[in-house]
Amino acid sequence: MNMINKKANIVLWLMLIVFLAFFPKLFGIYYTNMVVTFAIFSVFATSLNMLMGYTGLLSFGHAMFFGFGGYGTALALKHIEGLGIFPAIGFGMLAAVVLALVLTPIMVRVTGTAFAMLNMAFAQLMYVLALKLYTITGGEDGIANFPIPGIFTESLRNSSDHFYYLAMIILGLCMWLMWFFTKTPFGQIQVGIRDNAKRVDYLGYKVPQSKAVVYILSAAFAGIAGSFYGLFHNMVSADGSLGMGMSFMPIIMIMIGGIGSFLGPMTGVAIFQLIDEFILRYTESSELVMGATLILVVVFMPMGFMGLFSMLKSKWKARFTGNAKMEKAS
Amino acid sequence: MKWLNKRIFVIGLGLLVLSLLMGISVDSQAAPKSDWAKPNAAMDINDIPDMSDFDPNHPAVLQGDTIKIAVVAPFSGPASINGQIDYISIQWAAHVINKKGGLFVDGKKKMVEVIKADNQSSPDGTKKVCERMVLREKVHVLMGTQGSHLMKIINQTAEKYNVIAANFGANSDELQDATNFNRNAFQMTQSVSQLGRGLAYYYGKIRKKEKKFYIICQDYSFGRGLAAAFKQGLKEYYPEAEIVGEDYHRLFLTDFAPFLIKIKASGAEVIYTGDWVPDANNLLKQTRQQGITLPFANIYMDEPVGLNEVGVEGTEGLVNISQYGAENPAFKTEADIRNNKMWNDMWKNKWKAPYNAALYEWPLGTIGSYIEQTYWLLSVIERAKSTDPEKIIKVWEGDVYKFGNRKTVKMRACDHKVIQDFHVYESVRPDKQKVSMNIPPYYWSKERSAAGPVHVIPAEAVLPWMDPKLDRCKGKNGWGE
Amino acid sequence: MDPTTVMYVSQGLQGLAYGMILFLIASGLNIIFGMMGILNMAHAAFFMLGAYICYQIVAMTGSFWLGFLFAPIVTAALGVLMQQLFLRKAHVLGHFGELILTMGIASVIVAAIKKFWGTQNLPLSMPDSLNGMVSIVGISYPAYRLFVIGLALVVLVLMMLLLYRTRLGKIVRAAVSDREMVNALGININLVFMLVFGGGIWLAGLAGVAIAPILTVFPGLADQVGMDAFIVVVTGGFGSLVGAFIVSIIFGLLSSYGVQFLSNFAPVLMVCFMAIVLVIRPNGLFGVKE
């Protein structure tokens, strides 16, 4: 049974990869861009989930890492001539990591509401600074139309397909790394910290240092997502990347998708995008639809869609094993 | 009987002389005509069809092959009022053209279809909706919007997919500079540099009274640009003026009082601001609440509800510069009266929320400006006889067009910016508004001071800024020649 | 008094007034989070609702004072309705669920306001009795702002009295520290929390009514003040009314003198202050550790 399962898994993965590889040709630019957006926000939301779902630390300011990633890349491309695409993304990630390093000493000492608020405070500070230091950051207008280097071509700006592949590979890699992280012993500790920090401490694991590592990793991945966002739009702006809305977006997506499960954030992003498309086409009352969705999810599906899904899965499994038992019995 | 005839003759002669004098005085209000070019085409206001079937809430559904224009603007969220204003203006112009039979392009007569494209006031939303419009709806023109950072995205998308981007609402000079310029994008609307310099010109060359100015603007590129333009204009046109203070406040500011205290202490005679609603309204309101009666030199302090709240006295003396403008009186011919009354009657009796609000009473001001700009766009498409961007660009670059309100505009070929006269009006009490509002009841509103005398800022004084780094414009003067 | 002194003193008075405005807006948020642990993201939306309802009452009756009296009550009623219908169910997920739920409700309220009253600006003027200038220490000052200062002080005193000098206040404070016990004593816990929540929303509505005459009533009103209220509560410390009051005054003065001396860098001052306070005292200046 296990061998067949393993083989089935590999086949499924291969099919998925082939599907994704041919996606642009099959579905055109519009849907390709949707998938790129999906990838960017999946990484962003999952990076927040590393803090929330696993370590139990809710942050109201995660947009600051997203934004730093975007600005890091944009500024690097604007000021350094001939910079390649990978170093540019690297700059973005670096910017986010540096910010996280600076904040870590403060952040590891707090939990709960204080942690959430502190992050919000600093995100707000970054936002206001981005607006005020407009000679560097472009203020409200942000930085736009900076050169985007290509890998095989002159510029990625002209090739949606190449950008798509680059995004899928790097963002896919990020997702895999984050998943891998949760399977490591270190990752398991994070769940422990969420559930009972004191016990983890007594067991000899250093809680603050663990928190720091997760915080910085989470920031790094958010930074990469932000970097891609900036490249994708060829623009970074304070409102677009650093605003409160951007801090709340991953929280909402995790909520809709389901906290604590790895696929939760991704599911939330997908559903969010579907709702967005729906709003775009059929109604002008975007606030009403979004608001109603949030209310419904919280009241009727507190564990998110993944929660619903796993509940259905266990019911389905129960029925099957129940049947099997009956067959055996008879 | 002879003496009666003589009396009649004298009285008749007197009346004749009187009417001639009045005619002359009306004319002297009219500006020196700028004859920097002859228009290639003009909007004929005598030719406006019966629009009584126009309902912005239920636009006509068009079949078949149409000329598709997307209005990319906020239709949801806090700025949705902008989308509404944009839509009714553009749809009105399109409807006029459609009722006249449409435009002859690509070999046949086609109607103009206006599609709403909600950009949700965000860069993300703008990009998505533009792509949807181009890739799925196959629009030929993307028209946009307030917010220069969003307009940049619209322009980029138009270049990428080779359609036309027509900017009717974003005023940043940056949009057509060396970094951001592309051939598919046309800025039909005013730019920041023209507004600031225009007001400076008015104070220095026309009004020549107050000398001390306090500048208070919103702290972002638009506000800073407006302040810089005003300062530059003062240097050029009013060197005796003195800037007694300069402040920038954050957007959507709750409390202006700290700034007002500074203004009070500065000895300023006029406050210059580029604020738009709600900051414009809150600034005016709170200034009057603090007992400060100084006039505002402004650009967007023209929202009727806010002005009514402050009242006739509080709004007297406001000076506003506008690109819509026309010389006085507002209704010059029978055709003007008829066309504007058509709109006004429907506003009063037919249209439902949100279009029955005070803002939409007359198709003048911002709404009028958007309508005229849309006529221009459609005229260009008509003369290009095609929706092919190359043909449209060929016609539009360097085009000179005459608006329905008799204003001439020219599209500067090298950087796609518009050369035009501007108009500055002073707000006066209702009993003095007749010079502008020349049909009954002879005032715009009893609740506020509104347009009175209008002054022309000639185009040559406010040529739009040209980026010296833009290759296409190297070696050309302000007229683009 | 010479003009420069007048200017500095005016800024001080002004700062106090603005601080009081901030306090009015933030007090409701503070009470609800401090007493019930609910982070009410819909607070600003209720603030806006209060302003709109007041506009409606004024439009129908012509009296600002009627609006002043009834708009907060109506707003509070709607808030309690929201709480009974939805918020109680969100308790399953704890703070996180309440957060998301109130965000959803905020969106729905804004959408409803736009549907009902439209997107354009609505006029709301102060009553004629308060429309004018008074002279304090030789400085001309708008009467309405004095009214707002007075109102904020009254609210503070009233709240403190209610919480610390009445039996109801005692019950509320007990319920906050130990729900089960109070429940066991036979007191209807749900009723208590309903009152607390209603009180918080009443304050939001009151703030909306009081401040709307200085601002423009339009659908973006909530966004305009939402962040400010949050920052005050966060910096002052959740659950501490006195903390919120003091921090409001500090912010008001910072804002006034910030504009006076630093002009457009004033907003940075506020956020910096918040960040510094939180680094030293993560639970706010007067906050109580959870």
Side-chain angles (χ1 to χ4, degrees):
Chain A
M1 274 293 275
N2 264 341
M3 277 293 283
I4 300 179
N5 266 348
K6 262 207 177 123
K7 277 210 177 130
N9 257 348
I10 296 177
V11 171
L12 277 172
W13 275 110
L14 275 173
M15 277 175 62
L16 183 66
I17 292 177
V18 168
F19 175 67
L20 286 174
F22 282 100
F23 192 91
K25 303 283 182 268
L26 291 172
F27 291 98
I29 305 179
Y30 185 70
Y31 290 109
T32 307
N33 283 342
M34 265 182 80
V35 175
V36 173
T37 309
F38 169 73
I40 293 174
F41 282 107
S42 292
V43 171
F44 185 36
T46 310
S47 79
L48 182 61
N49 206 18
M50 280 174 81
L51 281 176
M52 267 180 60
Y54 288 90
T55 321
L57 296 166
L58 171 59
S59 161
F60 281 166
H62 219 53
M64 62 177 154
F65 301 119
F66 188 78
F68 260 62
Y71 273 101
T73 301
L75 284 168
L77 284 170
K78 184 169 167 195
H79 294 289
I80 305 178
E81 271 212 54
L83 188 67
I85 187 84
F86 292 108
I89 299 175
F91 266 103
M93 188 186 87
L94 193 64
V97 167
V98 165
L99 179 64
L101 278 169
V102 168
L103 292 176
T104 304
I106 309 169
M107 295 301 169
V108 292
R109 295 185 305 164
V110 292
T111 52
T113 319
F115 181 83
M117 292 304 153
L118 257 178
N119 274 289
M120 185 194 83
F122 278 101
Q124 191 65 2
L125 183 63
M126 295 307 142
Y127 173 73
V128 174
L129 282 176
L131 288 179
K132 293 296 164 192
L133 298 174
Y134 55 87
T135 39
I136 309 174
T137 63
E140 264 80 0
D141 290 340
I143 308 175
N145 285 324
F146 46 86
I148 303 183
I151 314 178
F152 303 114
T153 59
E154 168 77 37
S155 165
L156 279 175
R157 220 188 278 178
N158 304 327
S159 174
S160 285
D161 285 2
H162 283 198
F163 189 81
Y164 166 80
Y165 291 126
L166 181 70
M168 294 314 283
I169 293 173
I170 298 201
L171 295 172
L173 195 64
C174 289
M175 290 300 286
W176 184 79
L177 281 171
M178 285 192 273
W179 179 80
F180 184 70
F181 176 76
T182 64
K183 296 295 171 210
T184 62
F186 188 74
Q188 302 293 339
I189 295 174
Q190 304 318 309
V191 180
I193 291 180
R194 179 189 71 196
D195 293 335
N196 196 329
K198 281 222 170 73
R199 192 196 281 176
V200 171
D201 196 27
Y202 291 152
L203 283 171
Y205 294 105
K206 298 204 174 69
V207 174
Q209 275 83 327
S210 313
K211 274 194 197 171
V213 171
V214 179
Y215 191 69
I216 296 172
L217 279 176
S218 168
F221 286 115
I224 297 178
S227 171
F228 265 93
Y229 186 74
L231 289 167
F232 184 52
H233 288 291
N234 205 193
M235 188 180 111
V236 280
S237 66
D239 273 307
S241 305
L242 279 172
M244 277 312 289
M246 198 48 102
S247 277
F248 280 116
M249 204 195 289
I251 299 178
I252 296 175
M253 293 182 187
I254 294 176
M255 180 75 213
I256 297 180
I259 324 171
S261 108
F262 184 78
L263 288 177
M266 258 173 76
T267 320
V269 173
I271 296 175
F272 194 78
Q273 274 193 292
L274 284 171
I275 297 178
D276 215 26
E277 286 293 311
F278 170 78
I279 293 176
L280 205 59
R281 273 160 227 254
Y282 298 116
T283 169
E284 275 166 16
S285 273
S286 66
E287 293 137 331
L288 192 60
V289 174
M290 274 323 299
T293 309
L294 289 178
I295 297 175
L296 286 170
V297 166
V298 170
V299 173
F300 295 114
M301 278 193 296
M303 293 317 282
F305 275 84
M306 282 312 288
L308 190 71
F309 184 65
S310 54
M311 198 174 70
L312 289 173
K313 201 163 93 168
S314 47
K315 277 203 180 136
W316 189 49
K317 261 198 182 140
R319 206 178 328 143
F320 265 114
T321 46
N323 280 347
K325 276 203 180 116
M326 281 170 66
E327 279 175 18
K328 271 200 172 160
S330 65
Chain B
M1 286 305 265
K2 254 195 187 163
W3 60 263
L4 187 60
N5 280 345
K6 210 176 182 181
R7 295 254 157 108
I8 293 173
F9 176 68
V10 167
I11 292 171
L13 190 61
L15 284 172
L16 184 62
V17 172
L18 205 62
S19 60
L20 277 175
L21 280 172
M22 279 179 67
I24 292 174
S25 65
V26 166
D27 254 332
S28 67
Q29 269 266 8
K33 296 215 174 356
S34 305
D35 51 358
W36 26 269
K38 283 180 66 206
N40 299 333
M43 182 60 200
D44 185 1
I45 53 156
N46 295 306
D47 198 21
I48 306 249
D50 175 22
M51 291 285 281
S52 50
D53 63 340
F54 177 77
D55 186 350
N57 284 319
H58 301 105
V61 178
L62 297 167
Q63 310 284 7
D65 221 358
T66 55
I67 302 168
K68 292 189 171 45
I69 298 182
V71 178
V72 181
F75 289 101
S76 63
S80 52
I81 189 148
N82 282 334
Q84 285 165 7
I85 296 174
D86 300 343
Y87 181 70
I88 191 176
S89 316
I90 297 171
Q91 180 67 308
W92 173 273
H95 197 69
V96 165
I97 300 296
N98 288 344
K99 291 221 82 176
K100 290 205 284 183
L103 300 176
F104 189 84
V105 296
D106 298 325
K108 53 183 172 141
K109 271 260 173 169
K110 291 192 195 172
M111 296 288 157
V112 178
E113 186 183 352
V114 177
I115 306 174
K116 283 191 196 175
D118 184 6
N119 69 8
Q120 300 174 329
S121 298
S122 78
D124 220 7
T126 306
K127 179 172 173 138
K128 253 211 306 207
V129 81
C130 283
E131 288 193 335
R132 204 175 112 236
M133 287 294 129
V134 171
L135 295 169
R136 313 202 74 220
E137 303 284 338
K138 306 264 191 283
V139 300
H140 304 105
V141 180
L142 292 168
M143 285 184 88
T145 179
Q146 297 78 2
S148 300
H149 60 302
L150 300 176
M151 195 66 219
K152 279 185 197 162
I153 297 185
I154 300 175
N155 289 346
Q156 268 176 23
T157 314
E159 184 188 27
K160 187 167 177 185
Y161 298 105
N162 200 22
V163 296
I164 295 287
N167 171 8
F168 63 82
N171 304 326
S172 168
D173 279 290
E174 242 183 32
L175 286 166
Q176 310 294 118
D177 71 6
T179 322
N180 295 300
F181 174 84
N182 77 64
R183 288 179 70 240
N184 294 47
F186 288 85
Q187 185 173 347
M188 301 187 287
T189 181
Q190 63 209 357
S191 40
V192 163
S193 55
Q194 296 173 299
L195 293 166
R197 290 171 66 213
L199 274 173
Y201 182 90
Y202 167 73
Y203 278 103
K205 296 279 182 195
I206 300 179
R207 188 177 170 90
K208 300 197 249 218
K209 205 168 126 190
E210 297 93 341
K211 292 203 166 48
K212 297 197 174 152
F213 297 90
Y214 202 105
I215 299 176
I216 176 166
C217 283
Q218 292 157 319
D219 195 8
Y220 78 118
S221 60
F222 183 69
R224 288 190 290 266
L226 280 171
F230 186 61
K231 289 198 292 190
Q232 191 205 342
L234 287 178
K235 269 201 216 121
E236 281 177 278
Y237 301 123
Y238 203 9
E240 316 92 83
E242 190 191 333
I243 299 174
V244 295
E246 190 179 338
D247 271 320
Y248 300 95
H249 67 82
R250 72 164 215 244
L251 288 160
F252 301 110
L253 184 65
T254 321
D255 190 22
F256 282 92
F259 296 99
L260 298 175
I261 292 172
K262 284 173 82 174
I263 292 176
K264 230 189 212 173
S266 69
E269 294 166 289
V270 173
I271 308 174
Y272 169 84
T273 180
D275 282 10
W276 33 262
V277 174
D279 288 328
N281 282 1
N282 293 342
L283 175 60
L284 177 63
K285 206 168 159 179
Q286 290 183 21
T287 306
R288 298 293 179 250
Q289 282 170 0
Q290 293 276 347
I292 301 174
T293 53
L294 297 174
F296 281 91
N298 70 81
I299 300 155
Y300 297 107
M301 233 177 232
D302 55 1
E303 198 274 308
V305 173
L307 293 175
N308 286 353
E309 231 189 302
V310 173
V312 171
E313 265 191 57
T315 50
E316 195 178 3
L318 293 183
V319 168
N320 177 287
I321 184 170
S322 139
Q323 71 169 346
Y324 168 63
E327 289 101 64
N328 276 337
F331 307 104
K332 298 180 187 58
T333 64
E334 279 305 314
D336 284 314
I337 297 177
R338 170 181 168 267
N339 295 336
N340 287 306
K341 272 214 148 281
M342 258 199 301
W343 174 293
N344 185 251
D345 286 337
M346 283 194 276
W347 170 80
K348 263 190 250 185
N349 308 317
K350 179 177 169 162
W351 297 338
K352 299 263 180 298
Y355 296 107
N356 54 1
L359 198 53
Y360 302 99
E361 190 178 357
W362 296 100
L364 307 171
T366 308
I367 295 178
S369 174
Y370 293 169
I371 295 177
E372 301 284 4
Q373 290 179 51
T374 311
Y375 286 145
W376 190 10
L377 167 69
L378 294 175
S379 164
V380 168
I381 296 178
E382 186 179 30
R383 284 179 278 144
K385 297 200 184 46
S386 165
T387 52
D388 175 5
E390 282 307 316
K391 300 212 175 91
I392 293 177
I393 294 173
K394 192 138 182 275
V395 171
W396 218 347
E397 283 185 346
D399 188 30
V400 182
Y401 182 77
K402 192 164 178 187
F403 280 171
N405 64 3
R406 272 66 117 215
K407 186 164 97 149
T408 312
V409 289
K410 176 173 173 154
M411 179 62 76
R412 193 158 68 187
C414 70
D415 64 352
H416 296 189
K417 281 169 113 157
V418 174
I419 296 172
Q420 57 184 321
D421 292 338
F422 279 77
H423 296 80
V424 167
Y425 72 77
E426 282 173 55
S427 288
V428 294
R429 317 183 84 104
D431 53 333
K432 297 219 184 92
Q433 292 171 11
K434 188 169 176 177
V435 65
S436 167
M437 176 47 151
N438 57 322
I439 56 173
Y442 300 112
Y443 54 76
W444 294 107
S445 166
K446 267 229 153 13
E447 298 172 75
R448 66 179 184 274
S449 293
V454 170
H455 307 271
V456 178
I457 314 287
E460 53 263 21
V462 283
L463 293 170
W465 176 77
M466 192 189 286
D467 188 354
K469 294 199 212 120
L470 184 56
D471 284 329
R472 280 169 60 115
C473 289
K474 287 241 155 75
K476 300 209 200 278
N477 63 13
W479 296 94
E481 286 142 20
Chain C
M1 240 191 265
D2 72 289
T4 326
T5 322
V6 170
M7 187 164 69
Y8 292 146
V9 173
S10 298
Q11 291 287 21
L13 271 177
Q14 197 30 63
L16 280 175
Y18 182 55
M20 292 301 97
I21 291 175
L22 281 177
F23 174 69
L24 269 180
I25 301 174
S27 52
L29 186 60
N30 203 350
I31 286 182
I32 293 180
F33 190 85
M35 306 259 125
M36 297 173 73
I38 297 176
L39 199 55
N40 184 13
M41 302 299 295
H43 186 78
F46 282 110
F47 165 87
M48 190 162 89
L49 193 59
Y52 269 93
I53 294 179
C54 184
Y55 160 80
Q56 192 61 39
I57 296 180
V58 171
M60 294 197 298
T61 67
S63 163
F64 177 80
W65 296 112
L66 272 181
F68 182 76
L69 199 56
F70 287 109
I73 297 178
V74 174
T75 313
L78 288 168
V80 166
L81 191 71
M82 180 270 276
Q83 186 226 9
Q84 294 297 313
L85 280 178
F86 298 114
L87 214 46
R88 288 202 299 174
K89 311 237 172 84
H91 227 74
V92 169
L93 266 184
H95 294 328
F96 185 52
E98 289 158 356
L99 180 81
I100 302 286
L101 181 69
T102 49
M103 280 175 82
I105 291 183
S107 291
V108 171
I109 292 178
V110 173
I113 287 178
K114 276 176 38 174
K115 197 92 213 204
F116 201 66
W117 280 284
T119 47
Q120 73 274 20
N121 301 329
L122 295 174
L124 183 59
S125 300
M126 57 190 68
D128 284 321
S129 46
L130 290 174
N131 195 5
M133 312 285 285
V134 292
S135 189
I136 305 180
V137 294
I139 302 174
S140 199
Y141 200 74
Y144 192 75
R145 300 226 174 192
L146 279 180
F147 168 69
V148 171
I149 296 179
L151 186 66
L153 284 170
V154 166
V155 162
L156 177 68
V157 169
L158 215 68
M159 288 291 128
M160 297 301 282
L161 281 177
L162 208 66
L163 279 175
Y164 290 101
R165 290 290 160 91
T166 64
R167 192 157 171 272
L168 178 63
K170 229 181 259 190
I171 296 175
V172 167
R173 280 183 292 130
V176 167
S177 352
D178 197 335
R179 247 187 132 109
E180 271 90 40
M181 195 49 136
V182 174
N183 208 3
L185 286 170
I187 294 173
N188 188 347
I189 270 286
N190 278 324
L191 190 62
V192 172
F193 281 132
M194 189 176 92
L195 280 173
V196 172
F197 194 80
I201 303 293
W202 182 84
L203 283 169
L206 184 71
V209 171
I211 292 156
I214 307 180
L215 296 176
T216 307
V217 179
F218 80 116
L221 199 55
D223 297 321
Q224 202 169 348
V225 300
M227 202 64 220
D228 289 344
F230 218 56
I231 292 181
V232 167
V233 175
V234 165
T235 315
F238 290 103
S240 168
L241 260 183
V242 174
F245 188 75
I246 294 181
V247 165
S248 297
I249 296 185
I250 296 178
F251 272 136
L253 291 171
L254 268 181
S255 153
S256 267
Y257 286 114
V259 167
Q260 179 68 44
F261 298 113
L262 290 176
S263 186
N264 50 321
F265 274 96
V268 185
L269 270 182
M270 316 254 283
V271 188
C272 275
F273 181 72
M274 172 176 77
I276 294 173
V277 166
L278 286 179
V279 168
I280 304 173
R281 295 181 64 97
N283 281 304
L285 215 47
F286 295 88
V288 183
K289 214 166 159 60
E290 281 174 14

